[in-house]
């Protein structure tokens, strides 16, 4: 959503995306290099799941309503077309 880049909400969402991807990489490295305790694995996945749910909720309550308010009709059509591609 380039049109939203000027808004603080978008900056925060991009930072969260980066953090989640880093966490995913850390988990992949831990899984591949160590025999892990099943409880540790379960807790790690629960933590990732909680962060993803919170992030998705923030997008639904922040980014998407913001986009709805600031996008011009042509930008909405373009975003929708790009999402279906």
């Amino acid at each position: 959503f380039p049109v939203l880049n000027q808004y603080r909400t978008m900056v925060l969402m991009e930072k969260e995306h980066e953090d989640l991807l880093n966490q995913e990489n850390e988990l992949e490295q831990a899984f591949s290099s160590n025999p892990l305790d099943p409880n540790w694995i379960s807790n790690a996945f629960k933590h990732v799941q909680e962060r993803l749910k919170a992030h998705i909720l923030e997008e639904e309550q922040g980014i998407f309503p913001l986009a709805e308010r600031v996008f011009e009709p042509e930008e909405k059509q373009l975003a929708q077309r790009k999402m279906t591609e």
Side-chain angles (χ1 to χ4, degrees):
F1 300 124
V3 76
L4 298 179
N5 284 339
Q6 64 184 321
Y7 295 94
R8 179 172 164 69
T9 304
M10 194 62 182
V11 172
L12 295 174
M13 290 294 107
E14 288 175 353
K15 174 68 173 125
E16 284 188 17
H17 282 195
E18 183 180 313
D19 290 346
L20 288 166
L21 290 171
N22 287 337
Q23 186 176 19
E24 177 189 23
N25 290 332
E26 290 170 8
L27 287 173
E28 285 178 2
Q29 289 175 357
F31 291 155
S32 64
S33 63
N34 298 314
L36 298 173
D37 175 1
N39 288 328
W40 185 91
I41 294 171
S42 176
N43 289 336
F45 276 109
K46 285 179 186 174
H47 180 71
V48 171
Q49 181 183 27
E50 289 168 5
R51 289 194 63 200
L52 284 172
K53 282 182 179 181
H55 180 79
I56 291 168
L57 184 63
E58 289 174 11
E59 287 182 335
E60 289 175 348
Q61 294 178 347
I63 294 294
F64 299 142
L66 176 61
E68 188 63 36
R69 286 192 311 270
V70 301
F71 276 12
E72 296 294 329
E74 302 81 29
E75 292 169 319
K76 289 179 186 179
Q77 290 173 354
L78 176 62
Q80 192 164 17
R81 190 170 62 245
K82 293 281 187 181
M83 288 176 15
T84 58
E85 292 174 356

